């Protein structure tokens, strides 16, 4: 029983045992160091902790009943082993801080910032906010304040391991296994974090089921278009059950990062002169269906379509028919053909298709490869036959020779694709060197490659990687070896032909000017700052630059075989516009910028807002870890809640 005393700082606790005197401070009693007995913090580099801790838990029991400690206990599983044990040790340094001479020691801010930079991608991948108690500015201190490094012992162990590796630990260990959508996202973000000076990740949109269509970019200036630097894209997993391309692009991203850091001159040259965009999975919903069956049981079509049961490679606007119908007209635009309004009003458009179309329109892509499975061949446009009744009819584009060279570049660099004795998968490509015109193989409308060519400046090929759409894991490494050189050679091909800038008399770049080559009835246009890239084979060409309200300028150029890319600039002079003679005054051209004219996708993408006006989303899958235990709901783990 408590006896009453006059001194409020002195409490006498009397019982059968001798009295115990407790001196109280404002917080209760003088804090005392205690032995570390928390199960998930046993491997911290100190043996004693103290309460209250840095965030205010007054006792060990108080901490163990909180969501913060629960998070540390499940974080390894939630993040699929990413950043483990770094996050847990960092959390322990705040929740069970080091105690020395009965004083609380705060962890170093630099340690927190290092872990956050390396691990924020793992939280992003599962749509979890960075935990409040790991706020580097709020709960950590600088070296000048006498901090300590809670990761010191972990770093020492890592340093010993790295010392045994010849390249100093810059390497990346590529795991040649299949990856879930969450794992793929985590790997891409971790790669971008490791090579943050040359890489970044970004989402081009969402799938039907709300999964991010996550891309990773490599450039010496990530996030920006550099003048005269060509841009390329690589797309995998358009058909969800064709999975090899998805894995190869994940490996490629890791390889580019690792080799750049190692000083590989070839990789550094590619990245320093090219802006590379990689989208490993265009159809993550379909992949989940295919992966649930696995390679042993997956059928020819299980998971091929998206969650709306739409074949994404039949879902793009059919601009090829428009090209065929009007190609005999003298004043017919042979590039950047507008999307007809009927496409928006009469067709069910997949969100994945919509996202890729916006992506194509947003970047000045020059070349592209879409990785598929089911055959071993490179297919190039046109994919839709010039005669609608003919299912297999040779249907070349005006750039037939360029497409052939682009396709051969990949096929010849592949270990077996161009070998005519290679066993194929049913179709006959004998004496073709592993390449084929798409419509001559089989015709279909609404394909992505034809859309790229007719709606933008981009030349896209379809890479069929092999007979097995879902090979076993033991085949992943051999397939990487077969395709690695082909992928690198393909990226290098973008530096062929000519490039330059179209300017006015004042030195300002002219956006949307056309670059025409005599004898090739397909023009390309200049980008935002007036720069352009025109793929050409060696030889003599007559090249013309033109823009509305300017004079035309033509140049005769000779492109030698020993020079891959030549610089050809144009200066155009202002002239009064004559609508009757203006090639750019064709009425239908006005509709090119009318993308999604009914605003159906922008409306459907709007989300519920919380009371403060921020976007509010449904609870993520991991919320059940916390909501079913009767603890205070950790809304601080939710984004925009």
């Amino acid at each position: 029983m408590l006896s009453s005393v006059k001194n409020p700082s002195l409490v006498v606790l009397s019982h059968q045992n001798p009295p115990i005197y407790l001196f109280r401070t404002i917080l209760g009693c003088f804090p005392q160091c205690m032995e570390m007995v928390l199960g998930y913090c046993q491997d911290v580099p100190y043996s004693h902790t103290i309460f209250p801790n840095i965030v205010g838990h007054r006792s060990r029991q108080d901490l163990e009943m909180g969501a913060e400690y629960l998070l540390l206990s499940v974080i390894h599983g939630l993040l699929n082993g990413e950043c483990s044990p770094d996050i847990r040790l960092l959390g322990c340094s705040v929740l069970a801080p080091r105690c020395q001479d009965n004083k609380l020691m705060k962890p170093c801010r630099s340690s927190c910032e290092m872990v956050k930079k390396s691990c924020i991608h793992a939280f992003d991948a599962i749509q979890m906010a960075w935990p409040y108690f790991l706020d580097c500015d709020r709960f950590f201190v600088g070296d000048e304040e006498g901090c300590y490094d809670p990761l010191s012992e972990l770093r020492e162990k890592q340093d010993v391991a790295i010392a045994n590796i010849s390249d100093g630990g810059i390497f990346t260990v590529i795991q040649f296994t299949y990856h879930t959508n969450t794992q793929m996202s985590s790997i891409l973000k971790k790669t971008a974090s490791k090579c943050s000076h040359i890489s970044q990740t970004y989402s081009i949109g969402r799938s039907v089921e709300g999964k991010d269509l996550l891309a990773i970019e490599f450039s010496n200036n990530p996030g920006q278009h550099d003048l005269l630097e060509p841009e390329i894209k690589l797309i995998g997993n358009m058909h969800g059950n064709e999975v090899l391309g998805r894995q190869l692009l994940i490996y490629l991203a890791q390889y580019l990062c690792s080799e750049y850091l190692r000083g590989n001159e070839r990789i550094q040259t590619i990245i320093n002169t090219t802006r590379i965009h990689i989208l490993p999975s265009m159809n993550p919903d379909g992949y989940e269906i295919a992966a649930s069956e696995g390679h042993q049981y997956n059928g020819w079509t299980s998971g091929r379509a998206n969650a709306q049961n739409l074949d994404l490679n039949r879902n793009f606007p059919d601009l090829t028919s428009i090209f065929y119908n009007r190609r005999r007209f003298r004043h017919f635009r042979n590039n950047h053909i507008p999307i007809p309004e009927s496409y928006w009003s009469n067709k069910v458009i997949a969100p994945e298709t919509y996202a890729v179309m916006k992506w194509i329109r947003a970047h000045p892509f020059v070349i592209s490869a879409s990785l598929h499975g089911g055959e071993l061949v490179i297919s190039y446009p046109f994919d839709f036959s010039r005669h609608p009744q003919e299912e297999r009819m040779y249907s070349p584009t005006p750039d037939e020779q360029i497409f052939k060279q682009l396709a051969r570049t990949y096929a010849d660099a592949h270990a077996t694709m161009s070998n005519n004795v290679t066993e194929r998968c049913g179709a006959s490509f004998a004496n073709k060197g592993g390449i084929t015109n798409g419509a001559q193989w089989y015709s279909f409308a609404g394909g992505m490659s034809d859309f790229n060519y007719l709606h933008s400046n981009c030349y896209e090929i379809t890479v069929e990687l092999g007979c097995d759409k879902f090979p076993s894991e033991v085949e992943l490494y051999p397939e990487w070896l077969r395709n690695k050189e082909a992928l690198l050679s393909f990226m290098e091909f973008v530096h062929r032909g000519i490039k330059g800038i179209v300017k006015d008399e004042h030195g300002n770049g002219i956006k949307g000017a056309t670059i025409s080559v005599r004898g090739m009835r397909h023009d390309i246009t200049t980008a935002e700052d007036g720069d352009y890239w025109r793929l050409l084979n060696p030889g003599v060409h007559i090249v013309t630059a033109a823009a509305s309200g300017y004079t035309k300028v033509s140049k005769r150029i000779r492109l030698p075989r020993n020079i891959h890319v030549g610089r050809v600039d144009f200066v155009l002079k202002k002239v009064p516009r004559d609508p009757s003679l203006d090639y750019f005054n064709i009425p239908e051209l006005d509709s090119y910028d009318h993308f999604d004219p009914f605003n159906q996708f922008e409306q459907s993408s709007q989300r519920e807002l919380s009371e403060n006006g921020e976007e509010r989303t449904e609870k993520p899958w991991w919320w059940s870890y916390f909501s079913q235990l009767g603890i205070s709901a950790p809304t601080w783990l939710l984004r925009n809640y």
Side-chain angles (χ1 to χ4, degrees):
M1 116 175 237
L2 291 176
S3 63
S4 60
V5 294
K6 294 181 180 180
N7 187 348
S9 297
L10 179 64
V11 177
V12 180
L13 188 63
S14 60
H15 201 262
Q16 295 179 350
N17 295 323
I20 300 175
Y21 295 89
L22 300 178
F23 290 89
R24 297 194 307 179
T25 65
I26 296 176
L27 294 177
C29 59
F30 286 119
Q32 299 284 323
C33 290
M34 62 179 65
E35 188 175 350
M36 175 68 74
V37 293
L38 291 163
Y40 292 101
C41 298
Q42 285 296 302
D43 51 347
V44 293
Y46 49 91
S47 58
H48 288 79
T49 186
I50 192 170
F51 289 96
N53 64 15
I54 297 177
V55 296
H57 294 108
R58 300 180 63 83
S59 66
R60 176 174 64 86
Q61 292 77 12
D62 188 17
L63 171 62
E64 291 177 329
M65 293 298 293
E68 296 88 348
Y69 188 68
L70 175 60
L71 176 63
L72 295 188
S73 71
V74 298
I75 196 66
H76 179 87
L78 291 179
L79 300 184
N80 291 306
E82 286 280 335
C83 299
S84 179
D86 307 54
I87 289 290
R88 180 174 54 78
L89 293 176
L90 194 69
C92 286
S93 72
V94 174
L95 302 180
R98 179 179 179 179
C99 183
Q100 184 173 325
D101 298 328
N102 292 329
K103 293 182 180 179
L104 185 150
M105 306 290 292
K106 287 191 175 183
C108 292
R109 184 177 296 115
S110 58
S111 301
C112 177
E113 290 172 343
M114 179 191 68
V115 172
K116 184 174 182 179
K117 181 180 179 181
S118 301
C119 300
I120 187 67
H121 70 275
F123 287 83
D124 290 341
I126 62 172
Q127 299 180 328
M128 178 182 284
W130 185 254
Y132 83 91
F133 60 90
L134 297 183
D135 186 325
C136 301
D137 293 324
R138 185 177 174 190
F139 299 118
F140 296 78
V141 297
D143 294 338
E144 69 280 0
E145 299 178 63
C147 68
Y148 73 97
D149 181 5
L151 306 178
S152 57
E153 290 188 359
L154 178 65
R155 285 207 189 105
E156 288 176 4
K157 294 177 182 178
Q158 291 173 340
D159 289 343
V160 170
I162 290 174
N164 295 324
I165 300 172
S166 59
D167 64 4
I170 298 176
F171 75 104
T172 295
V173 177
I174 299 178
Q175 294 182 326
F176 291 95
T177 60
Y178 285 113
H179 299 97
T180 66
N181 288 322
T182 298
Q183 290 169 339
M184 175 186 68
S185 176
S186 181
I187 289 172
L188 295 181
K189 291 180 178 179
K190 186 174 183 179
T191 300
S193 176
K194 180 178 180 180
C195 290
S196 58
H197 59 303
I198 58 165
S199 183
Q200 70 167 10
T201 56
Y202 64 96
S203 174
I204 70 167
R206 291 182 181 273
S207 68
V208 175
E209 296 180 349
K211 299 179 182 67
D212 264 329
L213 303 179
L214 191 67
I216 186 169
E217 168 197 343
F218 288 92
S219 166
N220 60 354
N221 187 16
Q224 301 292 327
H225 170 71
D226 286 343
L227 195 68
L228 290 173
E229 185 171 276
E231 302 197 23
I232 69 176
K233 60 183 168 72
L234 300 165
I235 299 177
N237 206 205
M238 184 183 199
H239 293 141
N241 64 327
E242 297 171 11
V243 301
L244 178 57
R246 167 189 169 112
Q247 292 303 133
L248 292 180
L249 294 185
I250 294 173
Y251 306 151
L252 178 63
Q254 295 175 283
Y255 178 81
L256 291 176
C257 171
S258 179
E259 291 301 302
Y260 192 98
L261 296 179
R262 288 170 59 114
N264 184 319
E265 291 185 4
R266 183 186 186 190
I267 300 304
Q268 290 182 339
T269 299
I270 291 174
I271 292 176
N272 290 338
T273 61
T274 318
R275 192 178 181 197
I276 305 161
H277 304 256
I278 300 174
L279 179 69
S281 183
M282 182 179 167
N283 186 3
D285 297 345
Y287 173 79
E288 284 196 343
I289 295 174
S292 66
E293 297 184 3
H295 75 92
Q296 292 180 326
Y297 304 101
N298 186 260
W300 192 253
T301 60
S302 297
R304 174 184 175 91
N306 76 340
Q308 295 167 296
N309 200 31
L310 294 174
D311 188 327
L312 298 181
N313 208 25
R314 309 292 188 274
N315 196 237
F316 285 81
D318 176 17
L319 304 183
T320 321
S321 294
I322 298 175
F323 177 85
Y324 288 149
N325 291 337
R326 304 182 185 178
R327 61 184 168 175
R328 296 178 180 85
F329 298 168
R330 180 180 180 184
H331 290 295
F332 165 56
R333 184 98 184 217
N334 55 35
N335 65 88
H336 292 75
I337 297 176
I339 299 172
E341 191 171 293
S342 59
Y343 172 78
W344 301 105
S345 57
N346 299 332
K347 194 176 184 71
V348 178
I349 305 168
E352 297 90 346
T353 306
Y354 177 83
V356 169
M357 288 194 295
K358 284 192 70 174
W359 192 35
I360 292 170
R361 291 166 61 95
H363 296 274
F365 294 123
V366 182
I367 61 173
S368 173
S370 178
L371 277 55
H372 290 248
E375 252 299 346
L376 186 63
V377 71
I378 305 295
S379 168
Y380 60 87
F382 285 123
D383 283 325
F384 189 43
S385 172
R386 56 183 172 174
H387 193 296
Q389 304 303 318
E390 294 289 340
E391 293 186 0
R392 289 179 171 83
M393 185 178 190
Y394 176 61
S395 304
T397 69
D399 284 287
E400 169 73 0
Q401 296 306 314
I402 296 295
F403 270 117
K404 273 189 170 181
Q405 191 62 40
L406 182 60
R408 285 194 182 113
T409 295
Y410 195 103
D412 291 348
H414 187 277
T416 59
M417 189 177 290
S418 63
N419 191 336
N420 290 327
V421 301
T422 298
E423 184 178 348
R424 304 290 169 171
C425 318
S428 176
F429 300 110
N431 302 319
K432 291 187 177 181
I435 69 173
T436 185
N437 171 258
Q440 191 172 23
W441 181 15
Y442 66 93
S443 174
F444 64 92
M448 184 166 67
S449 293
D450 285 9
F451 175 80
N452 270 274
Y453 181 67
L454 294 174
H455 192 67
S456 74
N457 293 332
C458 189
Y459 293 66
E460 182 173 274
I461 59 172
T462 300
V463 180
E464 298 284 345
L465 294 165
C467 307
D468 195 345
K469 294 188 175 187
F470 203 134
S472 63
E473 284 192 338
V474 297
E475 286 297 316
L476 294 179
Y477 179 60
E479 287 293 351
W480 165 247
L481 296 180
R482 293 184 192 109
N483 285 276
K484 181 180 73 173
E485 178 58 34
L487 289 165
L488 298 179
S489 297
F490 175 82
M491 290 189 287
E492 291 170 328
F493 185 91
V494 75
H495 299 283
R496 302 280 185 96
I498 60 173
K499 66 179 180 179
I501 306 173
V502 180
K503 301 179 181 179
D504 62 19
E505 296 171 279
H506 304 290
N508 302 311
I510 301 175
K511 175 187 176 182
T514 62
I515 303 297
S516 307
V517 180
R518 183 178 296 179
M520 302 176 68
R521 204 172 177 196
H522 180 77
D523 305 336
I524 57 99
T525 60
T526 55
E528 191 76 27
D529 297 318
D531 47 345
Y532 75 90
W533 307 263
R534 187 32 163 123
L535 297 178
L536 289 174
N537 286 328
V540 177
H541 304 278
I542 306 298
V543 183
T544 300
S548 181
Y550 293 87
T551 58
K552 288 185 179 181
V553 175
S554 297
K555 293 186 178 183
R556 183 179 184 272
I557 66 165
R558 179 178 175 272
L559 195 62
R561 290 189 176 275
N562 61 341
I563 297 179
H564 284 169
V565 62
R567 175 78 180 266
V568 183
D569 295 333
F570 295 89
V571 177
L572 307 186
K573 296 181 180 180
K574 272 279 191 182
V575 294
R577 293 184 60 179
D578 185 348
S580 64
L581 300 177
D582 193 351
Y583 169 79
F584 295 86
N585 199 37
I586 303 172
E588 75 163 9
L589 296 186
D590 292 339
S591 64
Y592 180 82
D593 291 329
H594 292 175
F595 189 73
D596 191 11
F598 306 112
N599 202 32
Q600 53 185 323
F601 278 90
E602 294 301 329
Q603 290 177 356
S604 62
S605 65
Q606 292 177 357
R607 302 189 177 188
E608 178 188 355
L609 299 181
S610 59
E611 293 180 0
N612 61 6
E614 295 182 326
E615 184 181 284
R616 171 172 280 179
T617 58
E618 294 182 0
K619 299 292 193 304
W621 57 269
W622 45 262
W623 185 250
S624 59
Y625 277 81
F626 305 93
S627 61
Q628 299 176 359
L629 296 178
I631 62 175
S632 178
T635 54
W636 40 269
L637 284 175
L638 298 174
R639 294 178 170 181
N640 299 327
Y641 188 80

